[in-house]
Amino acid sequence: MILALAAMLAELATGYPQRIFRRIGHPVSWIGAGIAAADRNWNRERRTPAARFAAGALLVVLLLAGSVAIGLAFEMVLALSASGTVAFLAIAIAMGTLIAQRSLHDHVLAVAEAMETEGLEAGRQALSLVVGRDTQALDGAGVVRAAIESLAENFSDGVVAPVVWLAVAGPAGAIAYKAVNTADSMIGHRTARHEAFGKAAARLDDLINLPASRLAAVLIALAALVQPGARCRDAIRTVMRDARQHRSPNAGWPEAAVAGALGIRLSGPRVYGGVPSSDAAINAGGRANLVPADIHRALALYRRADALLIGLLALGAVLQWAL
């Protein structure tokens, strides 16, 4: 708990400076490079689906093994360091790179600001840095909707999930989570190329995100209690009714909480990589004509939910220290 709290505060204070990213990349980009290499070399079209599935499963096993090894190395450094405080702070900063609370906020805010100052096309361009879907076909309401959906989903898997796994299983848990989540984002797609190769990563990612998605929905609903104009009761009602209608077993939970809390409609049909997806609407009776101001409302809700997560960790850290 103490390490997870310190990691959240470190990331909140500094984010991941662009000058460091330009020089050495980011832990996720390092993991992604390995996944991309495996995809090129192991996922060849001439192989049978069974062989491609086995290769993808092996990749997941190697990612987990490497993550555990690195995590244990961090633990050993902390245990053997002559200066425990310095080692703890260094590890907290390193673990903070696996949490995306500040960068997520800034990227989504950029969509609203681009639309407000430069118009729809600028908003589409800013959104393309956040989502994987086709942004050029989106109208203004569609851009806003996609930005809010990304904010809700990434609050769960980019903030809450790595924090939960860091708190529960230490550095090894956080690194392993991030490795599997990165693999799912890169190869966990139902396409001809990745249906078999990415299946193991996609299924494991669904499993390890279950606790965080539910906790994220609870945090968002509670945040609605202290945000003017937001409604906790409607957030809970929408989650219970609509969360399981989402194509993802996890993304629907935070999305439904945000939709209900703000009284807006999310999800529905969209296009990923040129492939149409006829997803069900979340909170179908909510307002559909969304505007950039709705992104600001969603970000305010996100900040409150994030603060609640920090508070929850702080309480856990106090109890851990006392015991």
Side-chain angles (χ1 to χ4, degrees), residues 95-123:
M95 292 300 100
T97 65
L98 305 178
I99 304 168
Q101 58 187 334
R102 181 165 175 165
S103 61
L104 173 60
H105 181 279
D106 292 348
H107 277 91
V108 174
L109 177 61
V111 177
E113 292 179 338
M115 292 186 71
E116 290 166 337
T117 59
E118 301 177 55
L120 176 58
E121 186 54 40

PDB file of all heavy atoms in Angstrom, residues 95-123:
ATOM      1  N   MET A  95       7.963   2.717 -10.429  1.00  0.00           N
ATOM      2  CA  MET A  95       6.619   2.154 -10.503  1.00  0.00           C
ATOM      3  C   MET A  95       5.611   3.198 -10.980  1.00  0.00           C
ATOM      4  O   MET A  95       4.606   2.870 -11.614  1.00  0.00           O
ATOM      5  CB  MET A  95       6.201   1.607  -9.137  1.00  0.00           C
ATOM      6  CG  MET A  95       6.977   0.384  -8.666  1.00  0.00           C
ATOM      7  SD  MET A  95       6.817  -1.039  -9.777  1.00  0.00           S
ATOM      8  CE  MET A  95       8.372  -0.927 -10.702  1.00  0.00           C
ATOM      9  N   GLY A  96       5.871   4.456 -10.688  1.00  0.00           N
ATOM     10  CA  GLY A  96       4.989   5.519 -11.147  1.00  0.00           C
ATOM     11  C   GLY A  96       4.908   5.613 -12.660  1.00  0.00           C
ATOM     12  O   GLY A  96       3.902   6.083 -13.206  1.00  0.00           O
ATOM     13  N   THR A  97       5.950   5.143 -13.348  1.00  0.00           N
ATOM     14  CA  THR A  97       5.919   5.174 -14.813  1.00  0.00           C
ATOM     15  C   THR A  97       4.896   4.204 -15.383  1.00  0.00           C
ATOM     16  O   THR A  97       4.546   4.297 -16.572  1.00  0.00           O
ATOM     17  CB  THR A  97       7.306   4.839 -15.402  1.00  0.00           C
ATOM     18  OG1 THR A  97       7.652   3.479 -15.087  1.00  0.00           O
ATOM     19  CG2 THR A  97       8.377   5.768 -14.850  1.00  0.00           C
ATOM     20  N   LEU A  98       4.421   3.275 -14.564  1.00  0.00           N
ATOM     21  CA  LEU A  98       3.424   2.305 -15.018  1.00  0.00           C
ATOM     22  C   LEU A  98       1.996   2.799 -14.806  1.00  0.00           C
ATOM     23  O   LEU A  98       1.040   2.121 -15.169  1.00  0.00           O
ATOM     24  CB  LEU A  98       3.615   0.977 -14.276  1.00  0.00           C
ATOM     25  CG  LEU A  98       5.013   0.358 -14.351  1.00  0.00           C
ATOM     26  CD1 LEU A  98       5.066  -0.920 -13.522  1.00  0.00           C
ATOM     27  CD2 LEU A  98       5.424   0.097 -15.790  1.00  0.00           C
ATOM     28  N   ILE A  99       1.857   3.984 -14.197  1.00  0.00           N
ATOM     29  CA  ILE A  99       0.551   4.571 -13.902  1.00  0.00           C
ATOM     30  C   ILE A  99       0.351   5.784 -14.808  1.00  0.00           C
ATOM     31  O   ILE A  99       1.276   6.579 -14.981  1.00  0.00           O
ATOM     32  CB  ILE A  99       0.469   4.981 -12.418  1.00  0.00           C
ATOM     33  CG1 ILE A  99       0.767   3.777 -11.522  1.00  0.00           C
ATOM     34  CG2 ILE A  99      -0.902   5.567 -12.088  1.00  0.00           C
ATOM     35  CD1 ILE A  99       0.989   4.140 -10.065  1.00  0.00           C
ATOM     36  N   ALA A 100      -0.836   5.944 -15.354  1.00  0.00           N
ATOM     37  CA  ALA A 100      -1.045   6.971 -16.391  1.00  0.00           C
ATOM     38  C   ALA A 100      -2.014   8.060 -15.970  1.00  0.00           C
ATOM     39  O   ALA A 100      -2.679   8.654 -16.822  1.00  0.00           O
ATOM     40  CB  ALA A 100      -1.536   6.306 -17.676  1.00  0.00           C
ATOM     41  N   GLN A 101      -2.116   8.352 -14.671  1.00  0.00           N
ATOM     42  CA  GLN A 101      -3.153   9.294 -14.241  1.00  0.00           C
ATOM     43  C   GLN A 101      -2.935  10.693 -14.812  1.00  0.00           C
ATOM     44  O   GLN A 101      -3.879  11.323 -15.300  1.00  0.00           O
ATOM     45  CB  GLN A 101      -3.226   9.341 -12.710  1.00  0.00           C
ATOM     46  CG  GLN A 101      -1.947   9.721 -12.037  1.00  0.00           C
ATOM     47  CD  GLN A 101      -1.996   9.606 -10.517  1.00  0.00           C
ATOM     48  OE1 GLN A 101      -3.058   9.693  -9.909  1.00  0.00           O
ATOM     49  NE2 GLN A 101      -0.841   9.421  -9.909  1.00  0.00           N
ATOM     50  N   ARG A 102      -1.724  11.191 -14.803  1.00  0.00           N
ATOM     51  CA  ARG A 102      -1.477  12.554 -15.300  1.00  0.00           C
ATOM     52  C   ARG A 102      -1.523  12.611 -16.824  1.00  0.00           C
ATOM     53  O   ARG A 102      -2.140  13.508 -17.400  1.00  0.00           O
ATOM     54  CB  ARG A 102      -0.131  13.049 -14.780  1.00  0.00           C
ATOM     55  CG  ARG A 102       0.206  14.452 -15.223  1.00  0.00           C
ATOM     56  CD  ARG A 102       1.338  15.023 -14.418  1.00  0.00           C
ATOM     57  NE  ARG A 102       1.749  16.326 -14.910  1.00  0.00           N
ATOM     58  CZ  ARG A 102       2.524  17.173 -14.235  1.00  0.00           C
ATOM     59  NH1 ARG A 102       2.969  16.858 -13.037  1.00  0.00           N
ATOM     60  NH2 ARG A 102       2.855  18.330 -14.757  1.00  0.00           N
ATOM     61  N   SER A 103      -0.860  11.660 -17.481  1.00  0.00           N
ATOM     62  CA  SER A 103      -0.832  11.684 -18.944  1.00  0.00           C
ATOM     63  C   SER A 103      -2.225  11.463 -19.522  1.00  0.00           C
ATOM     64  O   SER A 103      -2.588  12.073 -20.536  1.00  0.00           O
ATOM     65  CB  SER A 103       0.145  10.631 -19.477  1.00  0.00           C
ATOM     66  OG  SER A 103      -0.247   9.327 -19.089  1.00  0.00           O
ATOM     67  N   LEU A 104      -3.018  10.604 -18.898  1.00  0.00           N
ATOM     68  CA  LEU A 104      -4.386  10.381 -19.362  1.00  0.00           C
ATOM     69  C   LEU A 104      -5.179  11.674 -19.283  1.00  0.00           C
ATOM     70  O   LEU A 104      -5.860  12.060 -20.249  1.00  0.00           O
ATOM     71  CB  LEU A 104      -5.051   9.299 -18.507  1.00  0.00           C
ATOM     72  CG  LEU A 104      -6.546   9.064 -18.749  1.00  0.00           C
ATOM     73  CD1 LEU A 104      -6.807   8.650 -20.186  1.00  0.00           C
ATOM     74  CD2 LEU A 104      -7.077   8.009 -17.775  1.00  0.00           C
ATOM     75  N   HIS A 105      -5.101  12.360 -18.168  1.00  0.00           N
ATOM     76  CA  HIS A 105      -5.817  13.621 -18.002  1.00  0.00           C
ATOM     77  C   HIS A 105      -5.401  14.626 -19.068  1.00  0.00           C
ATOM     78  O   HIS A 105      -6.247  15.259 -19.720  1.00  0.00           O
ATOM     79  CB  HIS A 105      -5.539  14.186 -16.611  1.00  0.00           C
ATOM     80  CG  HIS A 105      -6.244  15.470 -16.312  1.00  0.00           C
ATOM     81  ND1 HIS A 105      -5.773  16.698 -16.753  1.00  0.00           N
ATOM     82  CD2 HIS A 105      -7.395  15.728 -15.635  1.00  0.00           C
ATOM     83  CE1 HIS A 105      -6.600  17.650 -16.348  1.00  0.00           C
ATOM     84  NE2 HIS A 105      -7.587  17.092 -15.670  1.00  0.00           N
ATOM     85  N   ASP A 106      -4.093  14.761 -19.286  1.00  0.00           N
ATOM     86  CA  ASP A 106      -3.589  15.767 -20.221  1.00  0.00           C
ATOM     87  C   ASP A 106      -3.981  15.455 -21.661  1.00  0.00           C
ATOM     88  O   ASP A 106      -4.318  16.365 -22.432  1.00  0.00           O
ATOM     89  CB  ASP A 106      -2.069  15.884 -20.094  1.00  0.00           C
ATOM     90  CG  ASP A 106      -1.641  16.484 -18.761  1.00  0.00           C
ATOM     91  OD1 ASP A 106      -2.508  17.018 -18.044  1.00  0.00           O
ATOM     92  OD2 ASP A 106      -0.439  16.401 -18.428  1.00  0.00           O
ATOM     93  N   HIS A 107      -3.947  14.173 -22.045  1.00  0.00           N
ATOM     94  CA  HIS A 107      -4.291  13.808 -23.421  1.00  0.00           C
ATOM     95  C   HIS A 107      -5.777  14.036 -23.707  1.00  0.00           C
ATOM     96  O   HIS A 107      -6.145  14.489 -24.793  1.00  0.00           O
ATOM     97  CB  HIS A 107      -3.933  12.352 -23.689  1.00  0.00           C
ATOM     98  CG  HIS A 107      -2.488  12.145 -24.045  1.00  0.00           C
ATOM     99  ND1 HIS A 107      -1.524  11.886 -23.107  1.00  0.00           N
ATOM    100  CD2 HIS A 107      -1.837  12.189 -25.233  1.00  0.00           C
ATOM    101  CE1 HIS A 107      -0.352  11.764 -23.692  1.00  0.00           C
ATOM    102  NE2 HIS A 107      -0.508  11.947 -24.993  1.00  0.00           N
ATOM    103  N   VAL A 108      -6.624  13.712 -22.735  1.00  0.00           N
ATOM    104  CA  VAL A 108      -8.062  13.921 -22.943  1.00  0.00           C
ATOM    105  C   VAL A 108      -8.395  15.412 -22.911  1.00  0.00           C
ATOM    106  O   VAL A 108      -9.210  15.895 -23.704  1.00  0.00           O
ATOM    107  CB  VAL A 108      -8.870  13.138 -21.889  1.00  0.00           C
ATOM    108  CG1 VAL A 108     -10.359  13.464 -22.002  1.00  0.00           C
ATOM    109  CG2 VAL A 108      -8.650  11.638 -22.067  1.00  0.00           C
ATOM    110  N   LEU A 109      -7.755  16.144 -22.011  1.00  0.00           N
ATOM    111  CA  LEU A 109      -7.958  17.589 -21.966  1.00  0.00           C
ATOM    112  C   LEU A 109      -7.562  18.230 -23.292  1.00  0.00           C
ATOM    113  O   LEU A 109      -8.224  19.171 -23.761  1.00  0.00           O
ATOM    114  CB  LEU A 109      -7.143  18.199 -20.828  1.00  0.00           C
ATOM    115  CG  LEU A 109      -7.194  19.724 -20.686  1.00  0.00           C
ATOM    116  CD1 LEU A 109      -8.618  20.203 -20.428  1.00  0.00           C
ATOM    117  CD2 LEU A 109      -6.251  20.181 -19.575  1.00  0.00           C
ATOM    118  N   ALA A 110      -6.514  17.724 -23.916  1.00  0.00           N
ATOM    119  CA  ALA A 110      -6.057  18.277 -25.196  1.00  0.00           C
ATOM    120  C   ALA A 110      -7.120  18.161 -26.274  1.00  0.00           C
ATOM    121  O   ALA A 110      -7.207  19.013 -27.171  1.00  0.00           O
ATOM    122  CB  ALA A 110      -4.775  17.567 -25.640  1.00  0.00           C
ATOM    123  N   VAL A 111      -7.957  17.120 -26.216  1.00  0.00           N
ATOM    124  CA  VAL A 111      -9.038  16.967 -27.194  1.00  0.00           C
ATOM    125  C   VAL A 111     -10.045  18.096 -27.036  1.00  0.00           C
ATOM    126  O   VAL A 111     -10.449  18.737 -28.025  1.00  0.00           O
ATOM    127  CB  VAL A 111      -9.727  15.599 -27.032  1.00  0.00           C
ATOM    128  CG1 VAL A 111     -10.896  15.485 -28.016  1.00  0.00           C
ATOM    129  CG2 VAL A 111      -8.742  14.462 -27.248  1.00  0.00           C
ATOM    130  N   ALA A 112     -10.452  18.359 -25.807  1.00  0.00           N
ATOM    131  CA  ALA A 112     -11.420  19.439 -25.569  1.00  0.00           C
ATOM    132  C   ALA A 112     -10.848  20.785 -25.986  1.00  0.00           C
ATOM    133  O   ALA A 112     -11.526  21.585 -26.643  1.00  0.00           O
ATOM    134  CB  ALA A 112     -11.810  19.455 -24.092  1.00  0.00           C
ATOM    135  N   GLU A 113      -9.606  21.045 -25.598  1.00  0.00           N
ATOM    136  CA  GLU A 113      -8.995  22.343 -25.911  1.00  0.00           C
ATOM    137  C   GLU A 113      -8.808  22.519 -27.413  1.00  0.00           C
ATOM    138  O   GLU A 113      -8.983  23.625 -27.937  1.00  0.00           O
ATOM    139  CB  GLU A 113      -7.672  22.471 -25.177  1.00  0.00           C
ATOM    140  CG  GLU A 113      -7.839  22.581 -23.659  1.00  0.00           C
ATOM    141  CD  GLU A 113      -6.523  22.688 -22.927  1.00  0.00           C
ATOM    142  OE1 GLU A 113      -5.478  22.267 -23.483  1.00  0.00           O
ATOM    143  OE2 GLU A 113      -6.521  23.184 -21.791  1.00  0.00           O
ATOM    144  N   ALA A 114      -8.452  21.438 -28.114  1.00  0.00           N
ATOM    145  CA  ALA A 114      -8.280  21.529 -29.564  1.00  0.00           C
ATOM    146  C   ALA A 114      -9.612  21.862 -30.239  1.00  0.00           C
ATOM    147  O   ALA A 114      -9.669  22.708 -31.146  1.00  0.00           O
ATOM    148  CB  ALA A 114      -7.727  20.211 -30.107  1.00  0.00           C
ATOM    149  N   MET A 115     -10.681  21.233 -29.814  1.00  0.00           N
ATOM    150  CA  MET A 115     -11.997  21.511 -30.398  1.00  0.00           C
ATOM    151  C   MET A 115     -12.444  22.936 -30.096  1.00  0.00           C
ATOM    152  O   MET A 115     -13.023  23.607 -30.954  1.00  0.00           O
ATOM    153  CB  MET A 115     -13.029  20.515 -29.867  1.00  0.00           C
ATOM    154  CG  MET A 115     -12.817  19.086 -30.330  1.00  0.00           C
ATOM    155  SD  MET A 115     -14.170  17.994 -29.809  1.00  0.00           S
ATOM    156  CE  MET A 115     -15.501  18.585 -30.875  1.00  0.00           C
ATOM    157  N   GLU A 116     -12.169  23.414 -28.896  1.00  0.00           N
ATOM    158  CA  GLU A 116     -12.619  24.744 -28.484  1.00  0.00           C
ATOM    159  C   GLU A 116     -11.843  25.858 -29.184  1.00  0.00           C
ATOM    160  O   GLU A 116     -12.403  26.922 -29.467  1.00  0.00           O
ATOM    161  CB  GLU A 116     -12.480  24.889 -26.973  1.00  0.00           C
ATOM    162  CG  GLU A 116     -13.481  24.039 -26.188  1.00  0.00           C
ATOM    163  CD  GLU A 116     -13.133  23.931 -24.715  1.00  0.00           C
ATOM    164  OE1 GLU A 116     -11.953  24.122 -24.354  1.00  0.00           O
ATOM    165  OE2 GLU A 116     -14.040  23.660 -23.913  1.00  0.00           O
ATOM    166  N   THR A 117     -10.577  25.612 -29.470  1.00  0.00           N
ATOM    167  CA  THR A 117      -9.742  26.676 -30.034  1.00  0.00           C
ATOM    168  C   THR A 117      -9.529  26.557 -31.544  1.00  0.00           C
ATOM    169  O   THR A 117      -9.392  27.571 -32.222  1.00  0.00           O
ATOM    170  CB  THR A 117      -8.373  26.704 -29.340  1.00  0.00           C
ATOM    171  OG1 THR A 117      -7.721  25.430 -29.510  1.00  0.00           O
ATOM    172  CG2 THR A 117      -8.530  26.982 -27.850  1.00  0.00           C
ATOM    173  N   GLU A 118      -9.498  25.315 -32.065  1.00  0.00           N
ATOM    174  CA  GLU A 118      -9.150  25.130 -33.472  1.00  0.00           C
ATOM    175  C   GLU A 118     -10.204  24.397 -34.290  1.00  0.00           C
ATOM    176  O   GLU A 118     -10.072  24.284 -35.501  1.00  0.00           O
ATOM    177  CB  GLU A 118      -7.812  24.394 -33.580  1.00  0.00           C
ATOM    178  CG  GLU A 118      -6.652  25.120 -32.902  1.00  0.00           C
ATOM    179  CD  GLU A 118      -5.368  24.317 -32.987  1.00  0.00           C
ATOM    180  OE1 GLU A 118      -4.971  23.953 -34.124  1.00  0.00           O
ATOM    181  OE2 GLU A 118      -4.773  24.039 -31.932  1.00  0.00           O
ATOM    182  N   GLY A 119     -11.216  23.853 -33.622  1.00  0.00           N
ATOM    183  CA  GLY A 119     -12.295  23.228 -34.365  1.00  0.00           C
ATOM    184  C   GLY A 119     -12.256  21.714 -34.406  1.00  0.00           C
ATOM    185  O   GLY A 119     -11.404  21.057 -33.793  1.00  0.00           O
ATOM    186  N   LEU A 120     -13.187  21.156 -35.163  1.00  0.00           N
ATOM    187  CA  LEU A 120     -13.413  19.717 -35.191  1.00  0.00           C
ATOM    188  C   LEU A 120     -12.201  18.935 -35.676  1.00  0.00           C
ATOM    189  O   LEU A 120     -11.834  17.915 -35.088  1.00  0.00           O
ATOM    190  CB  LEU A 120     -14.623  19.413 -36.075  1.00  0.00           C
ATOM    191  CG  LEU A 120     -14.956  17.935 -36.303  1.00  0.00           C
ATOM    192  CD1 LEU A 120     -15.192  17.217 -34.985  1.00  0.00           C
ATOM    193  CD2 LEU A 120     -16.165  17.807 -37.225  1.00  0.00           C
ATOM    194  N   GLU A 121     -11.563  19.378 -36.757  1.00  0.00           N
ATOM    195  CA  GLU A 121     -10.446  18.609 -37.311  1.00  0.00           C
ATOM    196  C   GLU A 121      -9.292  18.515 -36.316  1.00  0.00           C
ATOM    197  O   GLU A 121      -8.653  17.462 -36.193  1.00  0.00           O
ATOM    198  CB  GLU A 121      -9.965  19.246 -38.620  1.00  0.00           C
ATOM    199  CG  GLU A 121      -8.907  18.428 -39.350  1.00  0.00           C
ATOM    200  CD  GLU A 121      -9.340  16.987 -39.609  1.00  0.00           C
ATOM    201  OE1 GLU A 121     -10.513  16.781 -39.957  1.00  0.00           O
ATOM    202  OE2 GLU A 121      -8.497  16.085 -39.456  1.00  0.00           O
ATOM    203  N   ALA A 122      -9.035  19.590 -35.602  1.00  0.00           N
ATOM    204  CA  ALA A 122      -7.996  19.556 -34.576  1.00  0.00           C
ATOM    205  C   ALA A 122      -8.382  18.601 -33.456  1.00  0.00           C
ATOM    206  O   ALA A 122      -7.535  17.893 -32.900  1.00  0.00           O
ATOM    207  CB  ALA A 122      -7.760  20.957 -34.013  1.00  0.00           C
ATOM    208  N   GLY A 123      -9.668  18.578 -33.105  1.00  0.00           N
ATOM    209  CA  GLY A 123     -10.139  17.637 -32.097  1.00  0.00           C
ATOM    210  C   GLY A 123      -9.952  16.199 -32.542  1.00  0.00           C
ATOM    211  O   GLY A 123      -9.555  15.334 -31.748  1.00  0.00           O
TER     212      GLY A 123
END
